[in-house]
Amino acid sequence: METKYIFFTGGVVSSVGKGVTAAALGLLFKERGFSVSVQKLDPYINVDPGTMSPYQHGEVFVLDDGAETDLDLGHYERFIDNPLSQVSNFTSGQVYDEVISKERRGDYLGGTIQIIPHITNEIKRRIRLAAHTTKAEIMLIEIGGTVGDIESQPFMESLRQMRNEVGTENTYFVHVTWLPYIGATGELKTKPTQHSVAELRGIGIAPSMIIARSDYDVDQEIIDKIALFCDVEKRAVVPMKTANSLYEIPLLVEEAGVADYIIEKINLKASKKPNLKPWKELSKKINADKPKIKIALVGKYIELQDAYMSVREALRHAALSIGVEDEVVWIHSADLEKGKNLDALESADAIIVPGGFGERGIEGKILAAQYARENKIPYLGLCLGMQLMCIEFARNVLGYENANSSEFDQGTPHPVIDLMLEQRNISDMGGTMRLGLYPCALQKGTLAQKSYNKEEINERHRHRFEFNNKYRKEFEENGMVFSGTSPDNMLVEIAELKDHPFMVSSQFHPEFLSRPMRPHPLFVGFLKSTKKVAKI
Ligand code: GLN
């Protein structure tokens, strides 16, 4: 059977939820019995987001196979709950890299290398490869950015070519736009949508559906106008008002009849009725009155909260599962270093220190770990958060004044966190960390093991440094428990403190495997250990 390709393009502005809309739709197709996969095409030149600053790009979402990908893949996995892989995300950088390598090898036999056909062929090859490897009946393909961006032109051209190659009946183009609201006249404007559709048509693509995002209700008149000016059926103009919560979007998209309409248009037949009961229940929980738990998130990229997207969502999943509301208090680690914002830390019911790279803000996070240890406040450390919990312990419990990670202080006399052996001769920064799924054996009776209620787990990693085994015995003799290690016991995966309600940290990133319907055990254990939840 020929795969059906549904392409998602963006118009007017970015960040209006193109990825989330596509993810919600993917879930609705899966619920109708179709095998679904997704692919995100990022037109920027970086090979992957792995080396990009979180300020520029938000979080890097890591997959089972170690691919470092765009954060939209997080939405896809959280909604559709199918594990994605390396083929699910590619960039212009990868496309050019491949074409130029081929040219250097002489594969093009002296031909002149051009955007059309060489670059567009490589883009189409990668789209087909994803469809082939995932054997999906429906491929949802999102193109990053908005129509009109210079970088995205070869991608748009490739989609146009694909439509001709696989057939109009096997392709569907969803264009997601934004309706700005003019306060002075109190109206929503369709002109930018019209312009972006005109731009798309200029490339040779006629949108099959327009999803018009807005912060306000959209009346029929606006829908009719968009249909008329953009030449799409009225039924295919779908207003999508900003939702109360991300997790209500699948219900809104279902209510709008989008999935049934598209299936009809691409000549498919659903084999079952969607069961959205779990999502309805989740929505009920979201809207219910719940006791609030304050969680201090101590990070250094907090100006752009997208940098902690999966942590934020994992907290939400866990909180909803135990009937509480997670109120995240964002604390800049540099503020703590300057003695500022300590009251925010003190007012929190729990503290979380997420991952990060580089020296800036480290001491503030160590202070947060010290505060959590001394005041017995639940603490969850994620990757860097675990490393810093160990450094704090070495300094303030073992008395090693200058203990540090060799990432931040190469000359430290006590490198309790050190570069992994296999990382020592690596000079390239991109894609060279310890990445992806690795097993971890849990020690019976520990907080971590009780949270998981399992003996072996698999979690996603992204790090270069590790706990230095030279210090293991001394740590253990003084109250640290290494409750999770690699099965050969060579690598510390989880550290926790004895005689503390919950000071548990992992070298891996549990947040990447948390799902709304399957909250992550470590996040649940963490929130359950707060005094407030204990009282409920
Ligand atoms: N910078 C640390 C390392 O490379 C932690 C990485 C992280 O938090 N993802 O090991």
Side-chain angles (χ1 to χ4, degrees):
M1 200 187 97
E2 182 75 68
T3 303
K4 305 284 183 179
Y5 297 90
I6 304 182
F7 298 108
F8 291 82
T9 55
V12 185
V13 282
S14 61
S15 307
V16 295
K18 187 169 23 128
V20 177
T21 312
L25 205 47
L27 164 73
L28 299 178
F29 290 137
K30 181 183 173 182
E31 276 299 322
R32 283 168 166 79
F34 297 108
S35 66
V36 178
S37 197
V38 297
Q39 196 178 34
K40 170 93 196 272
L41 320 188
D42 280 311
Y44 53 73
I45 312 288
N46 303 63
V47 169
D48 61 41
T51 50
M52 284 166 89
S53 158
Y55 282 128
Q56 302 243 341
H57 192 268
E59 150 187 294
V60 174
F61 191 78
V62 181
L63 306 180
D64 280 352
D65 66 0
E68 296 175 279
T69 69
D70 183 77
L71 55 75
D72 268 330
L73 277 83
H75 294 311
Y76 290 127
E77 283 204 345
R78 284 187 284 270
F79 279 83
I80 309 176
D81 205 9
N82 288 347
L84 299 172
S85 74
Q86 196 87 50
V87 295
S88 315
N89 187 201
F90 72 86
T91 66
S92 289
Q94 286 173 32
V95 170
Y96 278 88
D97 200 32
E98 180 80 30
V99 171
I100 291 170
S101 304
K102 276 192 186 163
E103 186 271 338
R104 293 288 84 184
R105 278 201 308 263
D107 291 6
Y108 296 115
L109 305 174
T112 305
I113 311 307
Q114 296 181 295
I115 304 269
I116 305 172
H118 302 94
I119 295 296
T120 50
N121 281 351
E122 177 58 20
I123 292 172
K124 288 184 290 177
R125 184 187 73 79
R126 284 170 180 261
I127 294 176
R128 287 212 172 88
L129 179 72
H132 181 76
T133 17
T134 59
K135 297 189 179 61
E137 288 168 89
I138 302 179
M139 277 297 297
L140 300 151
I141 297 166
E142 178 193 348
I143 294 86
T146 40
V147 174
D149 298 344
I150 288 185
E151 293 92 340
S152 68
Q153 283 184 8
F155 288 85
M156 298 299 172
E157 166 62 17
S158 306
L159 306 193
R160 187 194 65 74
Q161 293 176 16
M162 266 202 85
R163 185 197 55 209
N164 292 337
E165 289 167 22
V166 302
T168 315
E169 68 286 7
N170 295 321
T171 51
Y172 196 84
F173 290 86
V174 179
H175 190 53
V176 184
T177 72
W178 178 251
L179 304 178
Y181 178 79
I182 307 297
T185 49
E187 53 176 351
L188 287 170
K189 290 299 204 182
T190 65
K191 191 73 83 191
T193 295
Q194 295 175 40
H195 279 305
S196 78
V197 171
E199 185 102 37
L200 203 56
R201 286 185 180 281
I203 304 164
I205 295 173
S208 329
M209 172 177 277
I210 293 173
I211 296 189
R213 288 270 302 102
S214 162
D215 277 339
Y216 298 86
D217 285 326
V218 180
D219 58 30
Q220 192 60 40
E221 207 184 319
I222 299 264
I223 296 172
D224 293 350
K225 196 167 169 188
I226 296 174
L228 180 67
F229 281 89
C230 301
D231 194 29
V232 285
E233 270 184 45
K234 281 185 190 170
R235 272 177 74 203
V237 178
V238 184
M240 197 57 63
K241 192 176 156 185
T242 305
N244 198 3
S245 151
L246 219 58
Y247 298 114
E248 297 190 313
I249 295 173
L251 299 174
L252 295 174
V253 179
E254 179 62 17
E255 222 172 273
V258 177
D260 282 334
Y261 178 80
I262 295 181
I263 284 172
E264 180 194 314
K265 293 289 170 191
I266 55 177
N267 294 325
L268 287 181
K269 281 226 155 31
S271 62
K272 63 180 180 112
K273 278 216 160 75
N275 171 18
L276 293 178
K277 221 169 134 200
W279 294 87
K280 284 183 188 148
E281 271 158 23
L282 192 71
S283 160
K284 243 190 238 157
K285 284 186 194 164
I286 290 169
N287 293 309
D289 267 343
K290 305 175 281 294
K292 263 194 190 142
I293 302 200
K294 268 194 192 172
I295 301 133
L297 189 149
V298 184
K300 70 168 174 182
Y301 313 114
I302 62 164
E303 298 90 337
L304 184 72
Q305 296 178 0
D306 276 6
Y308 302 108
M309 175 82 80
S310 294
V311 177
R312 180 78 206 74
E313 295 310 313
L315 280 171
R316 189 159 292 158
H317 306 158
L320 285 170
S321 78
I322 56 171
V324 297
E325 177 142 357
D326 55 311
E327 184 189 332
V328 175
V329 183
W330 303 87
I331 301 182
H332 206 301
S333 49
D335 280 349
L336 296 181
E337 285 168 15
K338 291 181 213 137
K340 285 200 292 198
N341 229 352
L342 283 169
D343 46 336
L345 193 67
E346 284 163 12
S347 73
D349 301 303
I351 297 171
I352 191 158
V353 175
F357 294 83
E359 202 190 336
R360 185 172 65 91
I362 289 301
E363 294 303 322
K365 294 181 187 176
I366 293 178
L367 272 174
Q370 181 177 6
Y371 181 82
R373 180 178 57 76
E374 290 175 347
N375 296 285
K376 296 204 185 305
I377 310 293
Y379 174 97
L380 181 64
L382 309 172
C383 201
L384 179 67
M386 181 204 96
Q387 299 176 352
L388 299 179
M389 166 179 155
C390 292
I391 293 170
E392 190 279 318
F393 187 85
R395 288 185 189 174
N396 302 322
V397 177
L398 304 181
Y400 292 144
E401 214 182 306
N402 296 316
N404 215 327
S405 162
S406 47
E407 179 180 2
F408 318 125
D409 178 4
Q410 287 196 349
T412 171
H414 298 290
V416 289
I417 305 295
D418 206 0
L419 198 57
M420 301 173 76
L421 210 56
E422 61 267 34
Q423 291 284 334
R424 301 226 161 134
N425 296 319
I426 288 176
S427 57
D428 262 14
M429 295 307 273
T432 54
M433 279 184 262
R434 180 172 181 252
L435 290 165
L437 218 55
Y438 284 94
C440 161
L442 300 174
Q443 202 188 111
K444 266 210 170 118
T446 57
L447 279 172
Q449 193 268 327
K450 282 189 217 154
S451 300
Y452 279 99
N453 200 17
K454 274 187 190 170
E455 273 159 38
E456 191 167 305
I457 51 163
N458 284 285
E459 293 279 3
R460 294 182 183 172
H461 295 71
R462 183 172 186 250
H463 66 119
R464 249 182 245 291
F465 294 80
E466 63 169 326
F467 183 81
N468 186 342
N469 284 334
K470 265 204 306 215
Y471 294 91
R472 237 205 241 191
K473 201 157 163 262
E474 211 180 335
F475 268 61
E476 283 172 333
E477 284 165 359
N478 287 279
M480 185 76 84
V481 182
F482 295 113
S483 47
T485 59
S486 54
D488 63 4
N489 197 25
M490 291 306 285
L491 209 76
V492 167
E493 290 279 11
I494 309 180
E496 64 182 57
L497 214 57
K498 250 189 219 159
D499 304 322
H500 190 287
F502 193 97
M503 189 142 184
V504 181
S505 291
S506 63
Q507 184 57 82
F508 50 79
H509 290 270
E511 67 270 25
F512 294 139
L513 288 182
S514 179
R515 303 286 175 263
M517 305 305 164
R518 248 178 313 114
H520 195 283
L522 279 186
F523 281 81
V524 177
F526 169 56
L527 293 187
K528 272 190 176 166
S529 69
T530 56
K531 279 192 194 138
K532 266 195 201 154
V533 176
K535 272 195 230 141
I536 298 171

